[in-house]
Amino acid sequence: MVQREDARIRLGLPDVGQAELDEIAGVFETGMLTMGPKVADFEGEIARACEVERALAVSSGTAALHVAVLALDLQPGDEVLLPAYTFPATGNVVALAGLRPRLIDVDPETMNLDASRIEVGPRTKAVLAVHLFGRPARLEELPEGLPVLEDAAGALGAERQGRRCGGLGLLGCLSFHPRKIVTTGEGGAVTTNDAAVADAVAAARNHGWRSLVPPDMPAPGLNYRLSDILAAVGLPQIRRLPELLAARTRIADGYTERLRHLPVHLPGADAGDVHGWQAYVIQVDDRDRVLRELRAQGIEAQIGTYALHLLGAYRDQGAFPGASRVFERALALPFHTRLADGDLDRVAGALDKLVSHH
Ligand SMILES: *Cc1c(COP(=O)(O)O)cnc(C)c1O
């Protein structure tokens, strides 16, 4: 297919097709539309991909974060530390669980939580660390003795020093939103090696049921179950995770090669890590102008994510210069497995003209 010069370059594009349609047809044949065999198969593949004992599929990444926080069984007013620069769901679930989201500034270089900024107080009970855009966070730098939750929404397949993200803390949370590496449209999962925590999550996603016969509901829960129809969409993708990861790494490398000489900050991972490449997010001066001009040329770029202290829900926690800086400068480039070399050339060419050369 010949790409027209003025064709739009999409920000994201899910890698789904006939294999996913065939799996959905299989669900219709069994008639089991929820909590059936496809969910169980999908959970098995997720557990394998994250190198953990248990994976529990839920209806979104936000639902995964919510039940993971609930599973910690903390007291109202206890503090959970989380990065000031992240998708707001990371903080929202903490607040909605009756806990205090305590923002920690990020390192503009990694865009992840800066552990040197952490102050542990008497009510600090957990850390919710984010592997932002798929870049593994340095979890070994976190204070010892605090349970670690991983927001691995964009880090399926990523590795920190040889170990898979999602299996590094007490709990991991994944998202299968269309802008993530594996998508079910909407969906998510919680991963863990702790059997008691897994049982708590399994109950929390299903109204609080520990058992149906006899009925046993020791605490109230939610309906955060994932439909088998959606699990079916995720199955063929997670089975080819190495291939999807390789394709995304190739696109990321293609951008890095083309943008290396420009006065922009490029993303990468620490030596020895595997980047999950949920997104390719650069940092540029005068970002809003660059974003506007790219869009005017049919190149669907986007901001990175949000600085929570600049949102009404998280005001009055002080200054977070790292998060503010990244929030103003981060620019997500079109990023999906169907991008051709010509698309990368066009994005790089446009950026070359837009960023200032000193
Ligand atoms: C996508 C994402 C979420 C939310 O996932 P949903 O499936 O959209 O609810 C949370 N945190 C991070 C870091 C994300 O990238």
Side-chain angles (χ1 to χ4, degrees):
M1 195 174 75
V2 181
Q3 279 280 343
R4 285 177 45 203
E5 258 304 294
D6 59 353
R8 263 173 8 127
I9 301 182
R10 298 275 298 270
L11 178 65
L13 199 60
D15 198 312
V16 291
Q18 192 59 46
E20 286 73 21
L21 282 172
D22 292 346
E23 286 285 351
I24 293 172
V27 175
F28 288 2
E29 279 156 26
T30 67
M32 296 190 64
L33 301 195
T34 193
M35 301 303 272
K38 294 296 180 198
V39 166
D41 287 354
F42 190 40
E43 289 177 337
E45 295 288 347
I46 295 163
R48 196 202 324 240
C50 294
E51 297 170 348
V52 293
E53 298 287 323
R54 301 273 298 274
L56 292 307
V58 292
S59 52
S60 71
T62 303
L65 288 163
H66 194 193
V67 289
V69 167
L70 293 175
L72 292 176
D73 211 14
L74 300 180
Q75 297 306 310
D78 282 347
E79 276 179 9
V80 176
L81 310 179
L82 57 108
Y85 184 66
T86 182
F87 190 69
T90 317
N92 290 348
V93 296
V94 174
L96 288 172
L99 307 169
R100 279 200 56 211
R102 171 92 174 271
L103 305 183
I104 305 295
D105 206 6
V106 298
D107 175 356
E109 171 63 30
T110 65
M111 296 188 269
N112 281 331
L113 194 148
D114 179 351
S116 72
R117 305 267 165 182
I118 292 178
E119 287 167 33
V120 177
R123 305 236 34 198
T124 309
K125 293 295 159 60
V127 187
L128 179 36
V130 183
H131 304 294
L132 197 65
F133 309 130
R135 177 179 180 136
R138 297 169 184 160
L139 300 189
E140 70 288 346
E141 293 178 354
L142 298 176
E144 276 177 48
L146 286 179
V148 175
L149 272 69
E150 297 174 77
D151 180 342
L156 179 61
E159 287 176 21
R160 175 72 186 159
Q161 306 298 309
R163 290 173 58 208
R164 283 283 167 105
C165 292
L168 302 169
L170 177 62
L171 292 142
C173 299
L174 304 172
S175 165
F176 306 119
H177 178 274
R179 271 187 73 197
K180 318 294 167 152
I181 183 165
V182 164
T183 183
T184 57
E186 297 283 2
V190 176
T191 50
T192 186
N193 286 310
D194 186 305
V197 161
D199 291 344
V201 168
R205 75 167 167 186
N206 190 25
H207 303 293
W209 293 118
R210 291 278 177 161
S211 125
L212 279 170
V213 190
D216 180 20
M217 187 182 286
L222 297 148
N223 175 1
Y224 279 170
R225 297 181 308 246
L226 183 70
S227 158
D228 271 49
I229 304 168
L230 297 183
V233 176
L235 260 177
Q237 294 170 73
I238 200 161
R239 287 185 181 131
R240 59 174 197 277
L241 181 61
E243 190 188 308
L244 290 174
L245 199 55
R248 293 176 88 92
T249 302
R250 188 172 44 75
I251 304 293
D253 290 348
Y255 271 135
T256 298
E257 198 180 299
R258 286 168 176 79
L259 302 177
R260 205 184 281 289
H261 64 287
L262 297 184
V264 299
H265 178 275
L266 300 180
D270 289 350
D273 284 0
V274 175
H275 202 303
W277 294 120
Q278 183 253 320
Y280 191 91
V281 180
I282 66 173
Q283 294 175 51
V284 293
D285 291 336
D286 208 4
R287 190 270 321 271
D288 290 342
R289 179 186 55 87
V290 175
L291 177 54
R292 208 166 43 239
E293 296 286 338
L294 288 175
R295 285 178 176 167
Q297 295 178 38
I299 296 170
E300 284 184 1
Q302 182 56 281
I303 66 162
T305 190
Y306 299 87
L308 299 197
H309 68 290
L310 301 179
L311 302 174
Y314 298 93
R315 263 195 314 248
D316 303 329
Q317 287 207 32
F320 297 89
S324 292
R325 178 176 169 80
V326 175
F327 174 65
E328 284 168 15
R329 290 169 39 88
L331 179 71
L333 300 182
F335 198 77
H336 54 80
T337 56
R338 315 246 163 114
L339 286 172
D341 280 349
D343 297 324
L344 302 186
D345 290 341
R346 218 179 106 199
V347 176
L351 278 170
D352 184 67
K353 292 197 185 69
L354 289 171
V355 301
S356 49
H357 293 267
H358 300 289

